[in-house]
Amino acid sequence: MQPGNHEARTYNSAGVNLTKIMARELNVPYGGIGTIHKIKVGNQTYIGYSTHGGSGATTIGGVVNALLKLGTIVDADFYIQGHTHQTVYQAREGFYLDRKGVLRKQRRHFTNNGSYLNYWDTYAQAKSYPVGNKGSAQLTFNGKKHEIEVSFV
């Protein structure tokens, strides 16, 4: 569980970390602002990075640009953020040298999760933000070959 900008307001004004409290009560890990994940499935290991995000983007292009910037923070197989309330997925292919010096292709997955709020009579409507898509990315990790499938639920 990770904090976002709304919880940060509470922390800044009252010194209370609501996300940390919720994580403790739900008995789930508290990840902080940015978290690196190591997931082992079968004989494959996947590295990911997640954060709430903080872009002021209001267009899909701006959301994609902010999302792709996560790839400059840590080299990972997948990236997850939210904040903009738009469901977005981009896959990017690149290359890296493995430990034996062999050039390998890597497919990196960038996902932006949507909203869970209604639109009418909210701050989003008041600021004329676009209506956000509801839902989150679902990543399926293959245990036999290094492959991730992404869908939104």
Side-chain angles (χ1 to χ4, degrees):
M1 183 173 273
Q2 294 178 264
N5 55 304
H6 298 278
E7 298 87 352
R9 288 185 202 132
T10 303
Y11 182 77
N12 291 338
S13 65
V16 177
N17 187 328
L18 294 174
T19 308
K20 201 178 259 189
I21 292 168
M22 284 190 298
R24 184 179 61 239
E25 292 297 315
L26 294 170
N27 197 30
V28 297
Y30 172 75
I33 292 172
T35 301
I36 296 176
H37 307 271
K38 182 178 180 181
I39 299 171
K40 185 155 177 57
V41 180
N43 62 4
Q44 300 295 316
T45 301
Y46 297 91
I47 303 297
Y49 178 74
S50 65
T51 183
H52 177 79
S55 166
T58 58
T59 66
I60 294 299
V63 172
V64 170
N65 287 338
L67 185 57
L68 294 177
K69 285 181 184 177
L70 295 180
T72 66
I73 296 170
V74 64
D75 185 23
D77 298 301
F78 66 92
Y79 302 86
I80 302 170
Q81 78 171 5
H83 185 69
T84 60
H85 300 209
Q86 297 295 330
T87 53
V88 174
Y89 168 66
Q90 288 282 306
R92 294 284 192 246
E93 292 190 353
F95 297 92
Y96 71 97
L97 288 175
D98 70 10
R99 293 180 186 200
K100 296 179 181 177
V102 177
L103 187 64
R104 305 250 183 222
K105 186 163 61 168
Q106 178 186 26
R107 186 171 176 90
R108 302 189 317 166
H109 303 269
F110 296 82
T111 61
N112 198 90
N113 289 324
S115 175
Y116 292 93
L117 302 174
N118 291 323
Y119 184 77
W120 295 103
D121 297 322
T122 67
Y123 71 94
Q125 183 186 16
K127 293 187 174 193
S128 299
Y129 291 157
V131 177
N133 298 322
K134 292 186 180 181
S136 294
Q138 177 176 294
L139 281 65
T140 304
F141 302 95
N142 191 315
K144 295 180 181 174
K145 58 183 178 176
H146 205 77
E147 183 178 274
I148 301 172
E149 291 182 22
V150 177
S151 59
F152 282 88
V153 293

